[in-house]
Amino acid sequence: MTENLQHLIEATNPVDLLRNSQIGSYIYPVVPADFQNWIKEQTAWRKTAVLYDQSHHMDSLFLRGSDALSLISDTAINSTALFPVNKAKQYVPTSAGGHVIGDGILFREAEDEYVYVGRSPAANWLLYHGETGGYQNLDIEVDRRSPSRPFGHEVHRNYYRFQIQGPAAWQVIEKLNGGPLEQLKFFNMSTMTIDGTTVRTLRHGMAGAPGLEIWGPYEDHDRIHAAIVNAGAEFGLVPVGSRAYPSNTLESGWIPSPLPAVYSGEAERGYREWLGADSYEATGTLAGSFVSDNIEDYYLTPWELGYGSFVKFDHDFIGRDALEKMDPASQRKKVTLAWDAEDMTSIFSSLFNVDGPAYKFFDLPLANYGSANYDSVVDSDGTVVGFSMFTGYSANERRALSLATIDPSVPEGTELKVIWGEPNGGTSKAAVEPHEQFEVRAVVSPVPYSTVARATYQGGWRTGYTGE
């Protein structure tokens, strides 16, 4: 009998399966950890310009045929009524119960050609429903993320994918292009020239300035990368390594990895039987101080992740009936939590306190130690009012920050506490060392946290994707 996710969760509680996964730390593959220094790299996306290499850590799914748009519409909370060629859209699917599976970006590259780019949960969901949904005119090609630990094997992708971002980004872009380039509207696609080669572009921006995502055949990766770095040198452009890269979302406000809501429910049973025992969903790690025997306590609605405005009832889609019955005003809300500096000092000082408690190691600049992270956020009475889900440090803000979803009645400026570390000395996860829990004071703050980001970002995925 072929092992699949359904078999695994029948043998054990899915919470125990995920909380004690032995897969190890989540690794951003292939891209060097640092090009300069993670503090310099963080600072550059606020002050000069950066080059992000997004070629390896995301799945790509190529959808072709006249039924491709039907598949997207049938599985997305977003409306596809307006989705012209050369436009991109954030893609958010939900389970039959109305809980988020994951998210990513859809690029409409031609009349019947779409490319999904993002994490595996939403890619797997699209692939499964594309294969089982009875779509007659649909071809799907999968290009999985590069292996986390390739051990010398050659790595190849269909496309390289870069971003040029920061206040000086457009100066770099026009130098590369050999002249002025039209600044299209946000999330529109076009082309430009780099090193004599036409490349495709997506317009968006961060740090208060326009930027581009660019892509082309992977064979051109090294040449195009070098051209961008050389052109950007005079403007202070810095390549960003895999250590600093994921921490940019602490400032922009996108929660990257909620637990996919697929581990329960009869409607999702066929999907669990389709997912292999080696799938992301079967091998991922659930980390943090929040513990419940009920896996559904970890599921989140679109509103809780800041996707409420994406929900459009102008089409039929999986989860629509459940979402129509929900009261948006009662859903938890996405916020930033600004962690107390004195309490952070206590966490780090425990590394050197031979006779005192050892608290969970807070890695820099990103402190997550699971695929999906759920730390309990409690009020002054010790009542859990939400989850802290993505945690790290911003050198630009000189603060430890986390992205969280909390009770809507809690006002901005309230001091809450994040329970840092797992109970009972920690689980048996490969990424967890023995430790004691520590309560960290944290102030409820806006999302995005950065004043610049709040004034300029549109949407919230990676560096400002929109759902419309």
Side-chain angles (χ1 to χ4, degrees):
M1 180 175 64
T2 302
E3 281 291 302
N4 56 47
L5 177 58
Q6 181 64 29
H7 295 147
L8 293 178
I9 65 175
E10 286 174 354
T12 184
N13 185 308
V15 175
D16 293 334
L17 173 72
L18 300 171
R19 285 186 63 81
N20 294 287
S21 170
Q22 294 301 301
I23 197 171
S25 301
Y26 182 89
I27 293 176
Y28 284 77
V30 182
V31 178
D34 302 291
F35 285 93
Q36 292 190 6
N37 165 294
W38 65 263
I39 294 177
K40 289 182 178 179
E41 292 171 10
Q42 281 193 343
T43 304
W45 67 57
R46 184 75 66 85
K47 293 185 177 180
T48 54
V50 292
L51 172 60
Y52 294 129
D53 187 346
Q54 301 176 320
S55 304
H56 296 284
H57 72 277
M58 295 181 287
D59 286 350
S60 294
L61 212 64
F62 300 87
L63 310 173
R64 304 181 182 96
S66 58
D67 282 340
L69 188 59
S70 295
L71 169 63
I72 294 166
S73 181
D74 291 345
T75 57
I77 64 174
N78 322 56
S79 173
T80 58
L82 295 175
F83 196 180
V85 173
N86 284 328
K87 185 81 172 179
K89 180 185 292 286
Q90 190 165 353
Y91 169 75
V92 181
T94 55
S95 67
H99 296 101
V100 172
I101 302 295
D103 76 312
I105 299 304
L106 280 166
F107 300 77
R108 189 169 191 175
E109 295 191 335
E111 183 61 31
D112 291 326
E113 294 183 13
Y114 304 80
V115 182
Y116 164 87
V117 179
R119 288 185 175 237
S120 294
N124 289 340
W125 189 255
L126 269 170
L127 182 59
Y128 168 74
H129 286 286
E131 290 181 355
T132 63
Y135 301 98
Q136 299 300 313
N137 193 354
L138 175 65
D139 177 70
I140 303 180
E141 177 188 352
V142 183
D143 182 19
R144 293 294 188 184
R145 76 191 295 271
S146 300
S148 296
R149 300 169 176 86
F151 296 115
H153 296 294
E154 183 178 354
V155 174
H156 182 82
R157 299 299 303 272
N158 288 15
Y159 290 137
Y160 68 80
R161 193 168 294 275
F162 300 136
Q163 278 193 27
I164 306 172
Q165 297 289 354
W170 208 258
Q171 294 170 276
V172 177
I173 289 164
E174 292 198 330
K175 180 179 178 181
L176 285 164
N177 191 57
L181 191 67
E182 181 184 2
Q183 294 186 16
L184 299 175
K185 291 184 178 180
F186 184 82
F187 241 39
N188 281 265
M189 295 156 54
S190 186
T191 61
M192 65 174 290
T193 301
I194 299 179
D195 194 33
T197 301
T198 300
V199 304
R200 300 197 73 158
T201 65
L202 173 74
R203 163 75 165 86
H204 58 88
M206 66 179 294
L212 290 179
E213 182 165 317
I214 64 174
W215 65 97
Y218 188 75
E219 291 77 11
D220 294 340
H221 175 283
D222 293 354
R223 178 170 60 88
I224 299 299
H225 189 280
I228 297 170
V229 172
N230 291 336
E234 69 171 288
F235 305 106
L237 178 139
V238 173
V240 174
S242 60
R243 188 177 182 185
Y245 168 75
S247 67
N248 76 72
T249 192
L250 293 169
E251 299 177 24
S252 64
W254 171 61
I255 298 177
S257 54
L259 187 73
V262 301
Y263 300 90
S264 60
E266 190 58 30
E268 285 71 49
R269 183 183 182 89
Y271 183 55
R272 293 191 296 272
E273 293 173 341
W274 179 86
L275 286 167
D278 60 348
S279 64
Y280 173 99
E281 294 80 356
T283 61
T285 54
L286 185 56
S289 57
F290 178 78
V291 181
S292 171
D293 290 336
N294 183 0
I295 193 70
E296 294 184 359
D297 288 341
Y298 295 88
Y299 295 171
L300 297 168
T301 69
W303 291 279
E304 292 175 309
L305 290 167
Y307 300 145
S309 64
F310 297 179
V311 180
K312 296 291 186 291
F313 298 120
D314 63 351
H315 64 297
D316 290 327
F317 59 91
I318 297 171
R320 172 176 172 163
D321 290 346
L323 291 174
E324 285 185 308
K325 296 174 183 176
M326 295 181 186
D327 174 18
S330 68
Q331 305 296 307
R332 287 174 172 161
K333 61 182 179 181
K334 184 171 68 171
V335 300
T336 305
L337 297 177
W339 292 31
D340 182 80
E342 183 178 351
D343 289 346
M344 288 303 304
T345 301
S346 296
I347 291 174
F348 284 110
S349 68
S350 76
L351 290 169
F352 309 100
N353 189 346
V354 177
D355 299 320
Y359 301 128
K360 178 73 189 74
F361 178 59
F362 191 103
D363 203 1
L364 295 174
L366 201 65
N368 300 330
Y369 53 98
S371 307
N373 302 273
Y374 287 72
D375 286 314
S376 295
V377 180
V378 300
D379 62 15
S380 57
D381 296 325
T383 301
V384 175
V385 295
F387 307 129
S388 174
M389 301 187 65
F390 202 79
T391 303
Y393 175 81
S394 166
N396 293 312
E397 301 295 340
R398 301 293 294 272
R399 278 194 174 276
L401 302 170
S402 66
L403 300 173
T405 184
I406 64 171
D407 190 285
S409 66
V410 179
E412 193 173 300
T414 302
E415 183 178 273
L416 301 171
K417 290 183 178 179
V418 177
I419 310 302
W420 177 243
E422 297 182 329
N424 303 316
T427 56
S428 63
K429 276 192 296 295
V432 173
E433 76 284 2
H435 63 273
E436 296 184 24
Q437 289 185 318
F438 184 72
E439 294 187 354
V440 182
R441 290 168 289 175
V443 176
V444 177
S445 304
V447 60
Y449 185 77
S450 162
T451 302
V452 172
R454 289 199 301 276
T456 60
Y457 287 4
Q458 301 181 54
W461 191 79
R462 293 201 304 221
T463 51
Y465 284 113
T466 180
E468 294 310 309

